[in-house]
Amino acid sequence: MTEHPHDRILDALEISAEPFAVCALEGACSLGLGRVPRATLHYVLGGQGDVRLTGHAPLRLAPGRLVLVPAAMRHSLYNAGGGQVGVPACRPAGLDLEAHVARGAAGGNMVVLCSTISLGLRGTHGLIDLLRAPLSLDTGGSPVAAQAMAALVAETGSDRPGQRAMVRALLLQCLIEMLRARLEAGDPGVTWLAALADPGLWRALRVMLDDPGTPHTLDSLGAAAGMSRSRFAARFRAAYGQGAMTLLRDLRLARAAQMLSERRAPVEMVARAVGFRSRSAFSRAFVAMWGETPRAFRGRGDQAAERAQKLA
């Protein structure tokens, strides 16, 4: 069996996902999903429309379409209406998930299964935060992904032992299929994945992923990569499409958003944990990326948690 350059990376992928939710759009309308601190996976069960993303062309949605939206990318689902009416046949009658519903004029529904995910390599996490452009896959052209998603939909409607483990395994199948399809197509949105095969760049990237709060510099990252400061900076930018310190800032703010959404620590402690020396500098950077203050972001997470407890 031939070993491809990306086999080592794809073989080491690990994934986790939040519980799924159903997004139902009834009639011509949109459902804004804002900025989410983790990557978001959408799978269309029925109807047609598109997902609209800041800075990117809309992606068409149809039954069987799988879309992965990068963390922190503001997006919304849009249903043009006039499509499928009623609950899609592929949605099990027993599916009991949190629902987000938008209603508009005209007929035709679109139903989408949604979740936020984390992706890493064995021994590290935060790899999905490197994704800078959405990925899309038509499972109708991929028997592996189609079978995995059909099984996943059935799992979300069941209450059997090992459900979470099975969902992880099925999601990983779909994600590997999506990534290798984009690698084979030469998609620039996944060039960072190819760069992981460079041992030096991977060593530098791993120290950023493992502990973004450490006061890393180009000199220290270059040393981790076994390169001079200038050589490391040039190779990193060529591989990842941005400077190492810019990526480090984004990783810090993504980790901060996750900590705030999980209510793990006060704002001041979060700021220090992700490498900011002052709360004011942290707040300015956080607002620039997320569009609101850390306190407001955390408050929105608290409200969502309270609603979930009331529904439980």
Side-chain angles (χ1 to χ4, degrees):
M1 181 168 49
T2 303
E3 182 172 339
H4 294 277
H6 306 107
D7 282 353
R8 180 180 65 83
I9 303 301
L10 295 177
D11 184 56
L13 289 177
E14 293 181 336
I15 195 169
S16 64
E18 294 296 316
F20 279 81
V22 170
C23 292
L25 287 79
E26 302 175 0
C29 61
S30 63
L31 179 62
L33 300 173
R35 294 178 184 265
V36 181
R38 301 172 72 188
T40 309
L41 192 69
H42 300 293
Y43 179 64
V44 183
L45 296 176
Q48 298 194 19
D50 55 53
V51 56
R52 299 180 177 181
L53 311 103
T54 301
H56 295 271
L59 294 175
R60 294 295 300 165
L61 297 179
R65 175 67 63 176
L66 191 64
V67 175
L68 181 61
V69 178
M73 184 172 288
R74 191 182 302 278
H75 66 291
S76 62
L77 302 176
Y78 176 75
N79 176 32
Q84 178 170 323
V85 177
V87 175
C90 60
R91 179 184 174 190
L95 198 61
D96 183 19
L97 304 175
E98 180 184 1
H100 304 281
V101 181
R103 295 182 173 88
N109 298 338
M110 184 171 72
V111 181
V112 184
L113 196 63
C114 309
S115 179
T116 57
I117 69 168
S118 292
L119 177 70
L121 299 179
R122 295 189 190 105
T124 189
H125 66 289
L127 189 66
I128 200 65
D129 295 332
L130 301 175
L131 187 66
R132 289 294 177 265
L135 301 180
S136 178
L137 177 70
D138 179 6
T139 60
S142 170
V144 171
Q147 293 174 11
M149 287 308 300
L152 188 147
V153 171
E155 280 291 331
T156 58
S158 73
D159 187 22
R160 301 180 61 193
Q163 183 197 56
R164 292 179 65 87
M166 183 64 77
V167 166
R168 283 198 305 272
L170 294 168
L171 275 178
L172 189 56
Q173 286 187 52
C174 292
L175 194 62
I176 290 174
E177 187 74 356
M178 178 181 284
L179 288 173
R180 69 181 182 182
R182 302 322 308 153
L183 285 167
E184 291 168 348
D187 187 342
V190 293
T191 53
W192 55 269
L193 189 63
L196 296 181
D198 183 315
L201 292 182
W202 169 238
R203 286 194 299 270
L205 182 61
R206 179 159 185 169
V207 300
M208 288 192 279
L209 291 170
D210 284 347
D211 189 5
T214 294
H216 303 292
T217 65
L218 281 177
D219 287 317
S220 67
L221 293 173
M227 305 175 194
S228 68
R229 181 181 189 275
S230 58
R231 184 168 179 241
F232 168 72
R235 284 183 59 177
F236 194 97
R237 182 175 290 277
Y240 293 100
Q242 63 184 145
M245 302 311 291
T246 300
L247 178 61
L248 177 61
R249 179 203 61 202
D250 291 350
L251 291 174
R252 285 172 169 171
L253 293 170
R255 192 68 53 83
Q258 292 167 13
M259 293 176 69
L260 290 169
S261 64
E262 295 165 1
R263 299 177 293 167
R264 284 169 28 191
V267 172
E268 294 85 353
M269 189 177 295
V270 169
R272 291 194 298 271
V274 298
F276 284 85
R277 295 181 179 179
S278 73
R279 176 171 172 168
S280 59
F282 170 63
S283 295
R284 286 194 300 272
F286 195 91
V287 170
M289 181 169 182
W290 293 99
E292 60 185 334
T293 66
R295 191 173 295 280
F297 187 94
R298 160 164 280 174
R300 185 159 49 81
D302 290 344
Q303 292 171 5
E306 290 173 3
R307 287 195 299 271
Q309 290 177 354
K310 291 177 180 178
L311 291 173

